[in-house]
Amino acid sequence: MSSRETHLVELVDEAGSTVGSATVADAHTAPGQLHRAFSVFLVDDQERVLLQQRAATKTRFPLRWGNTCCGHPAPGMTVADAAAQRLGEELGVAGVPLLEAGVYSYFAEDPMTGRVEREYDHVLIGLLPVGTQFRPDPAEVARLLWVSVPDLLARLESDPETYAPWLGGVTDRLVAHLSERSPERSGGK
């Protein structure tokens, strides 16, 4: 895990324009530096989303539940390419087409580790083919859980401290994306 802390991330301004780079460790040391990130939701054919419980060794928000996977593109790398790479590294999944559903900017402090998140977070959604098998990396993922979107929203409301602080915001982008694609909305166009 410590080797990932030396990787470079892309620093951005409030509009998402690149302004430089920093190491993962430096970008997540208080007060933090705004940097590009991504959060992926894998969705199955029943519109359930896959959550992961972050491994105990994570430097930020360990053992909290989050979206399917997340990370940071290296400077010059596309968000989609970086997200596909992390899906492979964390879950052993390859070849899932990803669509961007919006951006969520946030700041969060981890009371357990003292690290911070100050991220310009691209939310990506991938429809998971039926029968996909996972090979989670135990250094990244403690557990996996499929939940319906209504169930996820109820869980976030009833017990927010169990979840990563960005999960509510990225879930809002997911919900907006799914409602835009619903048959009721697109039927009259």
Side-chain angles (χ1 to χ4, degrees), residues 138-149:
E140 299 284 346
V141 180
R143 290 189 292 167
L144 295 172
L145 175 68
W146 285 103
V147 297
S148 70
V149 173

Side-chain angles (χ1 to χ4, degrees), residues 65-134:
W65 286 93
N67 46 281
T68 308
C69 91
C70 52
H72 311 93
M77 186 177 206
T78 69
V79 171
D81 286 347
Q85 180 178 322
R86 287 302 289 156
L87 280 171
E89 293 168 354
E90 290 191 16
L91 298 172
V93 173
V96 178
L98 299 171
L99 296 172
E100 187 161 339
V103 173
Y104 174 62
S105 291
Y106 70 95
F107 173 79
E109 295 178 90
D110 185 345
M112 293 196 59
T113 67
R115 306 300 295 280
V116 300
E117 297 274 3
R118 187 177 300 273
E119 296 191 333
Y120 187 89
D121 195 5
H122 297 260
V123 181
L124 303 169
I125 300 170
L127 189 58
L128 197 64
V130 174
T132 300
Q133 297 295 310
F134 299 102

Side-chain angles (χ1 to χ4, degrees), residues 4 8-24 27-28 33-41 54 60-61 67 69-84 86 90 98-108 116-125 166-167 170 173:
R4 295 198 67 75
L8 290 179
V9 297
E10 192 172 70
L11 301 179
V12 298
D13 63 18
E14 298 293 327
S17 297
T18 303
V19 297
S21 64
T23 65
V24 169
H28 292 88
Q33 298 175 68
L34 185 63
H35 58 281
R36 192 172 315 282
F38 59 83
S39 289
V40 176
F41 280 106
R54 296 166 60 81
R60 296 168 307 280
F61 303 99
N67 46 281
C69 91
C70 52
H72 311 93
M77 186 177 206
T78 69
V79 171
D81 286 347
R86 287 302 289 156
E90 290 191 16
L98 299 171
L99 296 172
E100 187 161 339
V103 173
Y104 174 62
S105 291
Y106 70 95
F107 173 79
V116 300
E117 297 274 3
R118 187 177 300 273
E119 296 191 333
Y120 187 89
D121 195 5
H122 297 260
V123 181
L124 303 169
I125 300 170
W166 60 86
L167 188 58
V170 299
R173 301 313 181 273

